[in-house]
Amino acid sequence: MTLIKHELRQGRLSLTIWTAAVGTLLVICIFLFPEMKGQMEGVNDMFASMGSFTEAFGMDRLNFGTLIGFYAVECGNVLGLGGAFFASLCAAGMLSKEEKDRTAEFLLTHPVSRRRIVTGKLLAVFVQIIVMNVIVYVISVGSIAAVGEEIPWKELNLFHLAYFLLQLELAGICIGISAFMKKGSAGAGLGIAAMMYFLNLVANITEAAEFLKYITPFGYCEGADIVADAVAALEKFSPPIITIDMGTATTIGVISQGRNYEGGLLLPGVNVSLEALSRRAAQLPDISLQHPKSLIGKTTEDCMRSGIVYGTAGMLDGIIDRIREEFPGQEVSVVATGGNAPVIVRYCRNPIMYDKFLLMDGLWTIYQKNR
């Protein structure tokens, strides 16, 4: 606890500056929305004609005339980049600074183990990220209320949760790197965050680079996907509805009987899990996602395919059953989309409708409603 308090005291200035910067930019963006709302028809047309630039930032898939569309793009970029830079900078120097300042030997003379030191520093990073996100979330909610807009609680909560998970992942990567560096860790941390951000932009621009979404955590924070899937599902199916988008991440959304987006769950995508299994286990090969020959595999490759397919199907069944318990006495529709859905859905025990074009249909519906 002493070590955690010490790290928090050392990092409080950085925490204050970054929180103030991100919070101030969010306030400015939100307070600009009422002034810009009446001009958004022209802005939407302008963004729609900007080609790859529009696709890179997801601006072709959201309506800037709505608060959630404006927030997902403008505030999402502020929170995404600002939060990512802070988390990376905070974590990157957590271990390397002991070598840089020549205090590692002094630290280890105390009656604490290396494990406790590393754990304490990890917890200090985690606490700082939590503090920044809580303050920024309160600022966002307060600003939306101050401009007189209705607060989209479910979407807002899901966006902020996605960016919080993004920051934790980047912090984990950077603190691992800091263990091997004496100097330049801050630059390396900021560089990693920036690289991950631009990899996601490239993946959004061209289908040939879509594999990059398996690398960058920014690929999990696409607000446009969350909004569009919900709109399409409401047009085609009777609520309550569970939507399952199986792409880079597996995104599960829940729409209530009152046609409100209640929130959802974010999980690692099937390919992401499969690649992590191959990379982290030295003796396991890289394999493609295919239908398993049987439940019980006979070879290493068959066992891996069976585990990832039946395991994911069983996980989805369990989540669907638990969500249905939240809607007693109601018939809940379940629809799946995304590149991995055709392989997984057939092994689920719950009836799940597959809609290949759910996302595109949602985008078309949004376009038609805002012409």
Side-chain angles (χ1 to χ4, degrees), residues 47 50-61 73 77 197-206 213 218 222:
F47 283 148
M50 294 174 67
S52 297
F53 178 83
T54 303
E55 296 174 4
F57 292 93
M59 294 183 293
D60 57 332
R61 297 182 287 163
V73 176
N77 280 317
Y197 178 76
F198 285 106
L199 285 179
N200 186 58
L201 297 185
V202 173
N204 285 340
I205 292 173
T206 172
K213 286 185 174 288
F218 282 92
E222 296 287 352

Side-chain angles (χ1 to χ4, degrees), residues 19-313:
T19 302
V22 173
T24 300
L25 289 173
L26 287 178
V27 169
I28 293 172
C29 287
I30 293 171
F31 272 78
L32 283 174
F33 175 72
E35 299 295 328
M36 299 177 66
K37 184 165 59 173
Q39 308 169 17
M40 282 302 157
E41 183 176 352
V43 172
N44 281 328
D45 293 339
M46 179 184 69
F47 283 148
S49 63
M50 294 174 67
S52 297
F53 178 83
T54 303
E55 296 174 4
F57 292 93
M59 294 183 293
D60 57 332
R61 297 182 287 163
L62 289 169
N63 178 18
F64 270 52
T66 63
L67 176 64
I68 197 62
F70 182 84
Y71 192 92
V73 176
E74 298 296 335
C75 298
N77 280 317
V78 170
L79 182 58
L81 273 177
F85 283 155
F86 169 72
S88 300
L89 187 63
C90 179
M94 191 56 71
L95 295 176
S96 63
K97 68 181 180 182
E98 304 297 345
E99 292 290 340
K100 178 182 177 182
D101 299 336
R102 303 182 187 279
T103 56
E105 292 80 2
F106 172 76
L107 187 61
L108 292 172
T109 60
H110 290 71
V112 291
S113 64
R114 286 179 172 83
R115 179 177 296 179
R116 286 188 62 186
I117 291 172
V118 174
T119 302
K121 288 177 173 290
L122 281 170
L123 289 174
V125 173
F126 183 66
V127 169
Q128 290 183 72
I129 292 175
I130 289 178
V131 170
M132 191 198 77
N133 278 274
V134 169
I135 294 175
V136 166
Y137 177 80
V138 171
I139 290 173
S140 295
V141 171
S143 299
I144 293 173
V147 298
E149 295 288 332
E150 183 179 354
I151 301 173
W153 288 107
K154 306 304 180 181
E155 294 88 345
L156 190 69
N157 291 340
L158 197 57
F159 287 152
H160 279 264
L161 174 61
Y163 285 114
F164 173 66
L165 296 176
L166 160 76
Q167 293 161 28
L168 289 184
E169 183 172 346
L170 287 174
I173 294 171
C174 291
I175 203 168
I177 291 175
S178 75
F180 300 95
M181 301 184 68
K182 293 184 179 181
K183 298 180 180 179
S185 57
L190 293 176
I192 289 172
M195 180 186 69
M196 294 296 184
Y197 178 76
F198 285 106
L199 285 179
N200 186 58
L201 297 185
V202 173
N204 285 340
I205 292 173
T206 172
E207 292 184 0
E210 191 174 1
F211 70 94
L212 293 175
K213 286 185 174 288
Y214 299 137
I215 301 174
T216 169
F218 282 92
Y220 308 151
C221 304
E222 296 287 352
D225 289 349
I226 297 171
V227 175
D229 284 345
V231 171
L234 281 171
E235 289 294 314
K236 294 184 174 185
F237 309 102
S238 300
I241 306 168
I242 301 172
T243 64
I244 304 172
D245 192 342
M246 305 186 70
T248 307
T250 296
T251 306
I252 301 175
V254 180
I255 304 168
S256 69
Q257 185 72 46
R259 303 174 72 86
N260 295 316
Y261 188 83
E262 296 295 323
L265 300 86
L266 285 171
L267 309 165
V270 177
N271 287 329
V272 171
S273 300
L274 193 57
E275 289 178 9
L277 181 63
S278 300
R279 291 178 182 177
R280 298 295 296 273
Q283 301 300 317
L284 296 182
D286 291 322
I287 64 169
S288 59
L289 181 64
Q290 299 176 10
H291 293 286
K293 296 177 181 179
S294 61
L295 173 61
I296 302 174
K298 304 300 182 183
T299 66
T300 300
E301 290 83 356
D302 288 344
C303 289
M304 292 175 66
R305 286 195 179 95
S306 181
I308 197 70
V309 171
Y310 282 101
T312 303

